[in-house]
Amino acid sequence: MLDAMKSDESAVGRGRGVPRPLVPAGPLRELKDLLHELYLAAGEPSLDSIKAAIDQDEHEDLSGAPSRDTIRRVLGDRTVPPSQANTVAVAMVLARMARWDAADAAGRARQLWMRARTVPTPGTPLEQVDDPFALEVHRPVQVDDDAQIPSQGRLPVYVPREHDAALAQVVGRAVGGISAMAVLVGGSSTGKPRACWEALRPLRQAGGWRLWHFYDPTRPEAALETMEQVGPFTVVWLNETQFYLHTHDGTGPKVAAGLRSLLADPARAPVLVLGTLWPEHWDTLTRAPAAGSDDPHAAARAVLSGSDIEVPAAFTGQALHDLRQAAGDDPRLRRAAEHAEDGHITQYLAGVPELLRRYRLATPAARALIHAAMDARRLGHRRALPLDLLAAAAPAYLTDTEWDLLDDDWLEQALAYTAAPCHGARGPLTRIRPRTPGTKQRTATVYLLTDFLDQYGRQERSEHLPPLGFWNALTAYADPGDLYTLGKAAYDRGLYRAAAQMLKNATAQGDGEAASLLVRILHQLHPDDPRPARYSVARVAVDDPWATRHLLDSLNKLGSSEQAVDLSDQVATAAPLNDPLEAASLFRVLRESGAHEPARVLADRTAVHVSLEHPGRTSLLMATMHKGGAAEQATILADRAAVHAPLDHIPGVLALLRDLHDIGADQQATTLRTRLFAAPVSLKTLRDATELLRILHDAGLDEQVMTVLAQIPNDFALRDDASGLAAMLAMMRRVGADERAEALADHCAAHVALDKAAMLFEALHGLREAGADEQVAALLARDPAAHLPVDPLWPMTAVLEIMAEIGAEQQAAALAARAAAQALLDDGGGVAHLLDSLREIGAEEQAAVLLARDPGVRLRLDDGFGIATLLNSLHRAGADEQIAVLLSRDPANHVLISGNTGPTMLLRNLHEIGAQEQFAVLAERMPAAGLFHEFLEACDHQARYTFGRDPGGRPAERWGWDDLD
């Protein structure tokens, strides 16, 4: 056995060799590449051969004497070798074995080793990360009997809940060597950072992990500066993830793209990304835009997809029982268990009740400061609130009497009140200080509104329109990077003049997006005044392609041709080319505006210099240029992409392959295809596999088609949601693999889960579209109607509809009867969809059962979309009594008004059904909530508010460019 093991070991280099280690870009990769190149040139000698050559070297110039195992680590490990001498010795011996210049190899190895050793590794060893509060875990409340607090920590005893188990699975993947990301989604003070902190335990036990927290000079800037340096075994800590991904300055999409590349890079695996988000921030970053609208969060949505873990607001059931059991050892938990309302344990521990008490009992001046901070945050100012802004805005929130009664040191008194800790937790409004001695000093004193009051203010003050003095304070003292967002908030509330002033100030800083809106506002008021356009083009920077595209588009649409020409020339020669998607957008708008020469110049630059990091985006750019008359430049880009595009994102590579064929770049397609098949292709979805089969079949590559088919197991369709099943079955038949298609359809019919509505729908739909009637019958024979849960309503109703379409009348009737009698009625949109479907398939009896349950009584009144769609459905059904019941609950006063389409739909539907009183109530609420333009359109008030309105709601007087500073 030992002889066999020795024989196997000595074969290293002949049978399988020392593989090239996967290492992130940088000096270490260059060193490992050099050593591997020397190793291959030497004929992949065994480790014993290299060791013998070092021991027997006659040149006497080797200062290192590495062991056999050390040689293996020098060649194959992903870390910097501890000894420079051993590294150089291996390089020199391999160079001599390959008959290369040994001195040159030694010099290069020595230099690269030094560079690799001196490159700082982002992050702190996890064993040294011992302060949870530095990672923004909330400080817990203090209690009188703090001497009884367990000695093991400053944090209360931790009681795991369901989300901790889900998070542990993600961490387990990282411990197992797979990069992973988890984002905890929950309201303020629900314990998200604490859960992440506790999840680090397995990594501490495993050893070798680091933690990197980006925050200096700003969170997105720090992330962009060091993202590429993040290496294996690193936890990337992204508390308040929206500050990294939802930015106005264009850094957010770049951070998202960097995170996606980091997670997909096998050379840097494993990494673990831990983030936290409030639900409203998750919705903003992941909600798909309306058709034809811009998609500023596409990159964020891509990286966040599937990473969310919901954190409930309250302890319930077993978790509450476990907490009470654990509370005996910790007085803080005991007090929380005794006094927290409705199971809101984490909120109590974070000092929330005392925060609310402090806020409600605040002096007028202190409350004015808090309100100014709340309004600034909810309208778009970053967390760091300048003291000058708060001090200038607060007096506008005071009555004349309150102002007259203030002492001369009112500001100092108010700040002292808001900064005082709440039972040890942070006070309502506190000064921000540098975290460490090395942190850059801020140029102005800034304050932080505590998270809970931040979220509380967004809810409680969502329909408050701040006074004029607040907007003037923003204009004078807001952070320049937030002026566009704040100006847009003013515009959405009808404060056109305040908006224009902030947008003008932002334009002076080079903000193209602000310039675009500024030009549109002033053109709407004074279409013959060219000064706003001239001002904007003279000051805007073209380093933000999306903002520049917006401005250029606005100039063209508004007829500012002279300024559009000037900006087009700047774009053509100076726009950055980091993102193919941005380059494609700029090229398209130049072509559409008739700027053909600038478009050609941009295409010339793009073809040679644009980043190839995202093959799908590269594909789109290439196709756009080819379609837009830049075929030569598209070919140059195709040459580069075929050779250098990364292959780690299969959908993007497949899109690139398809478009290479479509533009006639067959040679480049062959090159890319050869690269792709040099290693096994990892297909993760049915759609990817179908697309690859199509490309290979169209190219006549039957052998590769068979190879891909062999990689598709029969359960492949059921690993996600079964979408794309019909296309795969059709493709299998197209390539002549009828038996494989039959086997796939049989497996799907026999094994699709009957309790998962979305997957069941895709299976039925896919089998029907593919003409697999036998398999449809086999699936229906399993009686899915009896097993399918009736909630949630949307996917269940889709199954009901397709059952009716394929003629499964008994199954459809059974499912319709269960749904009508048992479905939850709190989701208005789902109930409306079910009611419409029941009527469409002729299930009038079941529709009557559903209506008899009075869905309007059980409907959630905060859901504008649900109320609007249900009103429409009830109206179509002639259910006037149910409409009256629903309207009697006063939805217009209860619906949440936010930036989504729900309130606007509800307003329109109330008007259509003649509910004028509710219509008037809802319309009155909309302007202050940021839906001023929807209010204008619904109420036909455009002429009355031509110049906007003032904070009191009155139509604004005429103003223009000369009235702005």
Side-chain angles (χ1 to χ4, degrees):
M1 177 64 75
L2 288 176
D3 288 342
M5 290 177 62
K6 290 179 180 178
S7 174
D8 183 62
E9 289 175 355
S10 65
V12 171
R14 293 191 296 275
R16 55 183 178 272
V18 179
R20 183 197 302 264
L22 293 172
V23 179
L28 179 57
R29 176 186 285 183
E30 295 177 41
L31 173 62
K32 295 295 183 177
D33 285 349
L34 170 64
L35 292 170
H36 195 72
E37 187 178 5
L38 289 168
Y39 175 64
L40 293 178
E44 297 184 77
S46 68
L47 298 178
D48 290 330
S49 299
I50 301 173
K51 177 69 169 66
I54 292 174
D55 293 342
Q56 299 167 15
D57 187 80
E58 300 176 352
H59 296 79
E60 299 184 356
D61 55 357
L62 301 181
S63 56
S67 66
R68 183 183 182 283
D69 193 51
T70 298
I71 296 170
R72 180 188 59 76
R73 289 197 299 270
V74 167
L75 291 173
D77 272 13
R78 299 166 62 183
T79 57
V80 181
S83 168
Q84 183 190 67
N86 288 341
T87 305
V88 173
V90 172
M92 291 184 72
V93 164
L94 289 174
R96 287 172 179 147
M97 296 172 76
R99 301 183 183 278
W100 284 18
D101 187 334
D104 177 66
R108 291 164 61 192
R110 188 176 292 109
Q111 182 183 45
L112 289 172
W113 186 90
M114 286 295 297
R115 286 174 55 199
R117 290 289 287 187
T118 55
V119 170
T121 301
T124 304
L126 204 50
E127 58 268 21
Q128 298 177 21
V129 180
D130 57 4
D131 184 0
F133 308 125
L135 297 177
E136 299 168 316
V137 175
H138 284 297
R139 291 185 180 275
V141 295
Q142 293 178 344
V143 293
D144 296 336
D145 48 350
D146 58 0
Q148 300 179 30
I149 293 175
S151 59
Q152 62 265 28
R154 297 162 286 178
L155 294 173
V157 173
Y158 192 70
V159 179
R161 291 182 279 169
E162 288 187 10
H163 63 272
D164 294 289
L167 181 56
Q169 291 182 356
V170 178
V171 175
R173 292 203 297 272
V175 173
I178 301 172
S179 291
M181 179 174 183
V183 178
L184 300 191
V185 181
S188 175
S189 302
T190 51
K192 301 182 296 295
R194 176 70 191 277
C196 291
W197 173 262
E198 296 297 327
L200 298 177
R201 292 180 183 272
L203 305 179
R204 297 181 192 276
Q205 294 168 0
W209 282 79
R210 306 175 71 84
L211 184 141
W212 184 228
H213 184 200
F214 310 108
Y215 63 83
D216 183 39
T218 68
R219 298 186 190 219
E221 288 175 325
L224 289 176
E225 286 176 7
T226 56
M227 186 81 71
E228 290 187 357
Q229 301 169 24
V230 172
F233 302 101
T234 301
V235 178
V236 178
W237 189 272
L238 299 181
N239 187 43
E240 305 280 14
T241 307
Q242 74 275 11
F243 295 129
Y244 299 93
L245 302 184
H246 187 194
T247 63
H248 166 57
D249 59 4
T251 55
K254 296 175 183 177
V255 173
L259 285 171
R260 196 172 181 189
S261 297
L262 172 63
L263 290 164
D265 188 352
R268 296 194 277 175
V271 295
L272 175 63
V273 180
L274 295 178
T276 68
L277 283 171
W278 289 352
E280 52 264 43
H281 294 316
W282 173 268
D283 181 65
T284 296
L285 289 168
T286 59
R287 185 174 62 243
S293 301
D294 288 336
D295 193 2
H297 302 306
R301 187 166 59 254
V303 75
L304 291 174
S305 177
S307 68
D308 55 312
I309 297 175
E310 182 182 359
V311 179
F315 278 67
T316 58
Q318 185 64 41
L320 189 58
H321 172 76
D322 293 344
L323 178 126
R324 288 170 177 153
Q325 292 293 108
D329 297 327
D330 193 317
R332 295 165 295 186
L333 277 188
R334 282 203 304 272
R335 179 167 298 185
E338 292 169 0
H339 298 289
E341 297 181 0
D342 301 322
H344 288 183
I345 301 297
T346 55
Q347 295 87 336
Y348 187 93
L349 291 171
V352 167
E354 178 62 16
L355 269 176
L356 283 174
R357 190 192 71 82
R358 185 80 59 81
Y359 164 60
R360 289 165 178 160
L361 298 180
T363 63
R367 188 183 304 111
L369 281 176
I370 295 171
H371 282 166
M374 285 177 169
D375 289 342
R377 286 288 296 131
R378 69 184 178 87
L379 294 171
H381 200 287
R382 65 194 60 198
R383 299 182 82 200
L385 298 164
L387 176 58
D388 290 340
L389 166 61
L390 299 174
Y397 290 82
L398 300 170
T399 66
D400 290 342
T401 300
E402 288 171 338
W403 177 248
D404 290 339
L405 292 176
L406 293 181
D407 295 331
D408 290 341
D409 62 346
W410 69 270
L411 181 59
E412 290 76 10
Q413 292 181 34
L415 289 172
Y417 180 90
T418 65
C422 297
H423 294 326
R426 184 186 288 273
L429 189 64
T430 53
R431 183 176 178 181
I432 300 175
R433 299 181 183 277
R435 294 173 179 273
T436 64
T439 302
K440 298 176 182 178
Q441 295 289 336
R442 300 182 184 274
T443 57
T445 302
V446 291
Y447 276 71
L448 177 73
L449 180 68
T450 190
D451 277 355
F452 178 80
L453 288 183
D454 189 340
Q455 188 175 46
Y456 184 80
R458 293 170 192 266
Q459 298 167 354
E460 293 298 310
R461 298 186 59 79
S462 62
E463 296 174 41
H464 285 262
L465 191 64
L468 180 61
F470 168 82
W471 300 101
N472 291 338
L474 286 181
T475 301
Y477 299 113
D479 190 291
D482 296 329
L483 283 172
Y484 165 74
T485 305
L486 295 166
K488 179 69 164 53
Y491 178 66
D492 289 342
R493 287 158 177 78
L495 306 178
Y496 291 174
R497 183 167 174 176
Q501 185 63 67
M502 283 186 274
L503 294 169
K504 184 179 180 183
N505 292 358
T507 301
Q509 303 287 330
D511 190 324
E513 204 161 4
S516 174
L517 182 54
L518 175 67
V519 168
R520 281 190 279 130
I521 292 174
L522 269 298
H523 181 83
Q524 176 183 328
L525 303 182
H526 305 284
D528 297 326
D529 189 349
R531 290 176 296 174
R534 290 175 185 166
Y535 180 90
S536 298
V537 172
R539 288 160 178 79
V540 72
V542 296
D543 55 357
D544 183 344
W546 286 116
T548 305
R549 197 282 310 262
H550 279 297
L551 176 57
L552 189 57
D553 199 35
S554 295
L555 293 172
N556 287 320
K557 288 179 179 177
L558 301 177
S560 302
S561 55
E562 179 183 345
Q563 290 76 29
V565 169
D566 291 343
L567 185 58
S568 296
D569 291 338
Q570 293 181 51
V571 168
T573 57
L577 302 175
N578 300 321
D579 186 341
L581 207 59
E582 295 172 345
S585 180
L586 287 174
F587 176 80
R588 189 183 302 114
V589 76
L590 288 174
R591 290 284 303 179
E592 291 173 352
S593 65
H596 297 298
E597 180 58 20
R600 183 196 63 77
V601 173
L602 178 64
D604 287 342
R605 292 177 54 228
T606 299
V608 177
H609 298 295
V610 75
S611 168
L612 302 176
E613 183 178 355
H614 302 286
R617 296 185 178 191
T618 303
S619 171
L620 176 65
L621 171 61
M622 182 181 67
T624 300
M625 294 197 324
H626 191 272
K627 183 179 179 181
E632 182 179 345
Q633 294 90 334
T635 300
I636 294 172
L637 179 59
D639 290 339
R640 292 178 57 218
V643 176
H644 299 295
L647 305 177
D648 53 353
H649 186 242
I650 295 301
V653 176
L654 295 179
L656 181 56
L657 268 173
R658 181 193 62 233
D659 286 339
L660 285 170
H661 281 297
D662 289 348
I663 70 170
D666 295 335
Q667 183 177 348
Q668 293 90 334
T670 299
T671 300
L672 180 59
R673 198 166 52 240
T674 301
R675 290 179 56 218
L676 181 61
F677 278 95
V681 179
S682 176
L683 297 171
K684 297 182 179 179
T685 70
L686 210 58
R687 295 184 187 279
D688 288 351
T690 303
E691 179 64 10
L692 182 55
L693 284 173
R694 187 192 70 78
I695 291 170
L696 295 173
H697 179 69
D698 290 348
L701 301 172
D702 296 337
E703 184 178 342
Q704 285 92 331
V705 167
M706 293 300 108
T707 300
V708 172
L709 283 172
Q711 296 177 13
I712 302 175
N714 286 335
D715 67 346
F716 197 35
L718 305 181
R719 292 183 182 179
D720 43 34
D721 60 358
S723 61
L725 175 61
M728 173 55 78
L729 291 174
M731 180 55 63
M732 285 179 167
R733 289 168 179 162
R734 180 181 170 191
V735 301
D738 292 353
E739 291 185 4
R740 289 287 290 111
E742 286 293 312
L744 179 62
D746 287 342
H747 186 90
C748 186
H751 297 286
V752 64
L754 301 183
D755 59 348
K756 295 182 179 179
M759 184 178 290
L760 181 59
F761 168 80
E762 291 292 348
L764 283 169
H765 172 75
L767 293 171
R768 186 192 65 164
E769 290 295 307
D773 296 338
E774 291 184 10
Q775 288 82 0
V776 169
L779 176 50
L780 291 174
R782 297 172 59 202
D783 196 13
H787 295 85
L788 184 66
V790 295
D791 293 298
L793 282 171
W794 287 92
M796 181 279 301
T797 304
V799 174
L800 173 64
E801 290 173 343
I802 198 167
M803 282 181 172
E805 289 175 13
I806 62 180
E809 297 177 358
Q810 288 185 339
Q811 297 244 8
L815 182 58
R818 288 178 53 229
Q822 300 174 14
L824 296 176
L825 302 180
D826 58 343
D827 176 7
V831 173
H833 185 36
L834 175 59
L835 178 59
D836 290 342
S837 296
L838 290 173
R839 296 179 64 236
E840 286 174 10
I841 67 175
E844 297 293 345
E845 182 178 341
Q846 291 89 339
V849 170
L850 180 63
L851 289 172
R853 295 174 63 199
D854 286 331
V857 174
R858 296 172 174 82
L859 179 68
R860 283 187 6 245
L861 290 182
D862 60 351
D863 179 11
F865 174 80
I867 298 170
T869 52
L870 183 56
L871 279 173
N872 247 0
S873 182
L874 293 173
H875 184 63
R876 287 192 295 269
D880 296 337
E881 289 185 15
Q882 286 85 354
I883 291 176
V885 169
L886 176 53
L887 295 180
S888 70
R889 297 179 64 200
D890 194 16
N893 262 320
H894 292 88
V895 65
L896 288 180
I897 296 189
S898 59
N900 59 43
T901 59
T904 306
M905 285 181 58
L906 178 57
L907 190 70
R908 182 174 62 247
N909 291 356
L910 288 170
H911 179 68
E912 289 176 355
I913 66 174
Q916 294 306 314
E917 183 176 339
Q918 285 282 296
F919 173 86
V921 170
L922 182 57
E924 187 68 23
R925 294 176 59 200
M926 295 180 77
L931 297 174
F932 180 70
H933 300 97
E934 290 80 355
F935 159 79
L936 291 184
E937 183 177 350
C939 301
D940 197 21
H941 282 329
Q942 287 90 340
R944 183 182 181 193
Y945 293 100
T946 298
F947 293 90
R949 65 174 188 152
D950 63 26
R954 296 174 295 273
E957 296 181 0
R958 182 183 179 88
W959 61 276
W961 184 253
D962 291 328
D963 296 300
L964 302 178
D965 295 334

